[in-house]
Amino acid sequence: MKYQTLIGLEIHVELLTASKIFCGCSTAFGGESNTHCCPVCLGLPGALPVLNKKVVEFAVKAGLALNCNIASVCKMDRKNYFYPDLPKAFQTSQYDMPICTNGYIEIDCGKKKKIRIKRVHIEEDAGKTMHAEDGVSLIDYNRCGVPLIEIVTQPDMTSSEEAYKFLERLKSILQYTEVSDCRMEQGSLRCDININVKSEDSSFVSNIVEVKNLNSFKAAAKAIEYEEKRHIDLLKKGENTNKETRRWDESKNKTVIMRMKENVEDYRYFPEPDLVKIEIDSDWVEKIRTSLPEMPNHKKERFIKDYGLPLYDAEILTSSKGMADFFEEVVKEFQDAKMVSNWVMTEFYRSLKESESDIENIKFCAKDFAKLLRLIKRGTISNNIGKRIFKEMYNSGKDPEIIVKEKGLMQISDVDVIKEMVLKVLEEYPESVMDYKNGKGRALGFLVGQVMKVSKGKANPQMVNKIIKKYLDT
Ligand SMILES: [Zn+2]
């Protein structure tokens, strides 16, 4: 029997506001424990919340970018549950009147598919519990009251690949709108998975299982694949899954049970009595709509049209707003767009990956990157030397022209100098010369390589090739 997997996602995203959702405390990441707190976010008796308008604005922005309808009126509710990192014993969230509804994201896994977004609501984050080895638990309330949006999809994804694509797209859209930095390692984007499978004729359906708090897209994909198999195996045995909440155990590569799944009733939602209804002016929404930046899909098409880039390049370059902006800044200074794209997609990406850094933290500027490409295009330095200089520029942020001068890396294009080096190499390797004359073409490559070595990589390789051939063929 064939089975189909149904996957819905719930994504919590921390908004980039400077202050918390109901008080003026800082939202900055880190900081000494329990220093970004006040009576409101600690939930002390008598403290009254005041909604931060920026949070509503950011949620509207995200909702518009995700093709949602924006409510004209919404409200906050209390979601009651007891947990040590939630000092009020309830979370202020939104229940039946979320701020955004019915949106979608288009993904492309070979063919285009719309993943529907059920709702986007605003809520506050909880604190953080740390369990020390001696059995003592410590709580840091700095994160309490940091504004979040929760994005809930319909169960429209049918594979780990689709879920992965969706998450990547979502992250890139949110980064484009600048409502969140989406740093998963700092917890500003967390994802829960709801998954079940059904047989093709719908006669067998497994219960929905929730996998909580995935902190990387890779882990999310692995958890989906693991659950998919577990559900199918149980159904095949005539059993079923429990309605439960599980977590992904990275070290064991499997999901493990956390608790039985709560029902909505368990949370005893009720309207937050300390906050008034939120009225959202449609003119304001339109103003936010016109302030939205160009979204990744449009940018991609424009890159193809304006810069003549292939689809592949355009897709990679526009997947992050930072990278797309950097690319355009370089092209302003150095018009060979394809050459810029090639360098960004190879050397630059590789260096970012190796140093586990991202584009916001680079030490050099677009102007210097353009300078480097100009040096290569003019033949002042060879392509290989260019790579070496890029590495140095990447590590130190130094001007490439200065690196070239300091290290004497200028390409040698002086015919006489190259001739001299060629003659020296030909004299040193008479066997290779014989080989070449006897028809072994490979010997040429060896000889060119030797000249490059003698020149410490600085000789113009095209000229070396030409000059060696001239000597060998006469
Ligand atoms: Zn506070």
Side-chain angles (χ1 to χ4, degrees):
M1 199 175 312
K2 270 199 152 177
Y3 292 92
Q4 195 195 14
T5 308
L6 305 169
I7 303 156
L9 299 174
E10 288 170 22
I11 301 107
H12 288 92
V13 180
E14 242 176 65
L15 297 178
L16 266 179
T17 56
S19 56
K20 291 186 179 179
I21 183 166
F22 301 124
C23 63
C25 293
S26 165
T27 55
F29 178 77
E32 205 180 313
S33 294
N34 299 307
T35 53
H36 302 163
C37 306
C38 73
V40 174
C41 53
L42 286 173
L44 299 184
L48 285 175
V50 179
L51 180 61
N52 180 349
K53 190 177 176 188
K54 223 37 203 190
V55 172
V56 180
E57 185 188 324
F58 278 15
V60 169
K61 223 176 184 177
L64 290 172
L66 299 171
N67 308 298
C68 290
N69 299 324
I70 310 298
S72 52
V73 180
C74 65
K75 66 174 169 70
M76 305 301 299
D77 300 274
R78 289 189 181 184
K79 182 182 184 183
N80 295 278
Y81 63 97
F82 178 73
Y83 206 70
D85 60 9
L86 193 72
K88 296 185 291 186
F90 64 81
Q91 180 189 30
T92 311
S93 178
Q94 291 191 297
Y95 177 47
D96 53 349
M97 292 170 76
I99 190 163
C100 320
T101 48
N102 296 328
Y104 67 87
I105 287 182
E106 200 172 72
I107 58 165
D108 197 339
C109 289
K111 64 175 193 240
K112 286 186 178 159
K113 181 173 176 182
K114 269 184 187 169
I115 308 296
R116 291 169 300 157
I117 290 164
K118 199 165 155 186
R119 57 186 280 159
V120 178
H121 66 251
I122 51 179
E123 62 184 28
E124 60 184 341
D125 207 348
K128 201 170 144 195
T129 319
M130 286 158 292
H131 305 285
E133 271 176 26
D134 55 8
V136 173
S137 291
L138 300 165
I139 305 176
D140 178 5
Y141 288 126
N142 278 357
R143 226 171 58 189
C144 260
V146 165
L148 302 177
I149 48 174
E150 181 175 337
I151 299 157
V152 184
T153 79
Q154 298 284 0
D156 286 349
M157 287 152 278
T158 56
S159 67
S160 59
E161 191 199 356
E162 284 184 4
Y164 195 96
K165 272 268 155 87
F166 174 86
L167 287 168
E168 271 193 325
R169 250 285 163 255
L170 175 68
K171 182 178 168 186
S172 130
I173 291 172
L174 294 173
Q175 283 178 333
Y176 267 72
T177 50
E178 290 172 349
V179 300
S180 175
D181 57 19
C182 298
R183 293 209 171 127
M184 295 193 85
E185 72 284 1
Q186 293 185 0
S188 49
L189 193 155
R190 281 120 56 194
C191 144
D192 302 342
I193 297 163
N194 284 296
I195 182 168
N196 72 328
V197 301
K198 64 170 196 200
S199 60
E200 232 171 12
D201 60 0
S202 296
S203 55
F204 297 96
V205 185
S206 67
N207 288 315
I208 297 174
V209 167
E210 185 180 33
V211 187
K212 269 225 173 290
N213 262 329
L214 279 308
N215 59 6
S216 79
F217 294 172
K218 246 192 217 148
K222 280 200 267 180
I224 287 171
E225 281 155 26
Y226 180 85
E227 278 299 304
E228 207 167 28
K229 188 172 177 306
R230 195 175 69 86
H231 284 229
I232 293 171
D233 287 348
L234 283 168
L235 287 183
K236 276 183 180 162
K237 280 195 282 185
E239 295 170 25
N240 202 337
T241 46
N242 295 318
K243 279 185 195 156
E244 62 192 16
T245 301
R246 301 174 75 87
R247 65 177 176 83
W248 176 246
D249 187 327
E250 190 74 62
S251 60
K252 294 193 179 108
N253 248 317
K254 62 191 247 184
T255 66
V256 290
I257 184 161
M258 272 169 81
R259 55 173 185 258
M260 296 310 280
K261 197 168 164 49
E262 293 92 347
N263 292 316
V264 163
E265 308 83 75
D266 296 335
Y267 290 123
R268 293 171 292 118
Y269 275 103
F270 66 86
E272 166 63 64
D274 289 340
L275 287 163
V276 293
K277 275 198 174 154
I278 308 163
E279 286 181 28
I280 300 171
D281 182 59
S282 61
D283 287 345
W284 187 54
V285 173
E286 283 321 302
K287 229 168 116 189
I288 297 173
R289 193 193 300 276
T290 51
S291 79
L292 280 178
E294 185 183 30
M295 286 295 128
N297 266 337
H298 285 132
K299 208 184 269 288
K300 182 176 82 187
E301 273 147 36
R302 185 168 61 78
F303 274 23
I304 295 172
K305 207 173 109 236
D306 289 4
Y307 302 118
L309 292 179
L311 174 70
Y312 178 78
D313 293 38
E315 211 156 75
I316 292 184
L317 290 174
T318 56
S319 64
S320 110
K321 181 167 185 290
M323 211 36 118
D325 288 348
F326 180 81
F327 168 80
E328 289 207 278
E329 251 180 89
V330 178
V331 173
K332 251 187 234 152
E333 304 278 327
F334 179 79
Q335 280 76 24
D336 187 341
K338 183 63 182 133
M339 184 168 167
V340 177
S341 161
N342 288 347
W343 272 76
V344 169
M345 293 198 308
T346 53
E347 295 309 306
F348 192 6
Y349 262 121
R350 193 175 308 139
S351 301
L352 282 176
K353 233 185 189 168
E354 278 168 10
S355 58
E356 287 174 14
S357 182
D358 53 86
I359 188 152
E360 281 75 38
N361 306 321
I362 56 168
K363 291 184 181 145
F364 61 94
C365 59
K367 253 196 167 124
D368 281 349
F369 195 76
K371 250 188 209 173
L372 173 69
L373 299 187
R374 212 174 293 126
L375 288 170
I376 299 166
K377 196 158 189 188
R378 281 191 192 140
T380 312
I381 55 172
S382 70
N383 206 53
N384 274 334
I385 297 271
K387 288 179 189 172
R388 254 167 71 192
I389 292 175
F390 175 74
K391 247 185 209 132
E392 182 152 348
M393 196 171 113
Y394 184 87
N395 291 330
S396 67
K398 239 184 187 175
D399 182 322
E401 280 172 358
I402 293 175
I403 302 174
V404 169
K405 269 188 206 136
E406 276 180 1
K407 304 216 158 169
L409 292 171
M410 227 91 84
Q411 178 156 273
I412 302 169
S413 298
D414 184 321
V415 179
D416 292 328
V417 177
I418 294 180
K419 263 187 192 166
E420 205 176 300
M421 291 188 283
V422 166
L423 286 173
K424 197 174 143 206
V425 166
L426 295 184
E427 214 177 86
E428 210 175 315
Y429 297 99
E431 330 79 71
S432 296
V433 175
M434 282 308 289
D435 284 349
Y436 179 79
K437 295 206 167 176
N438 290 330
K440 280 191 190 156
R442 264 197 311 174
L444 180 68
F446 171 78
L447 292 166
V448 171
Q450 290 307 314
V451 176
M452 293 308 290
K453 215 167 149 187
V454 168
S455 76
K456 298 199 175 81
K458 289 188 288 181
N460 179 325
Q462 284 86 23
M463 288 179 70
V464 173
N465 230 303
K466 232 166 92 187
I467 293 171
I468 288 196
K469 267 189 134 173
K470 219 171 95 193
Y471 276 111
L472 291 175
D473 293 340
T474 50

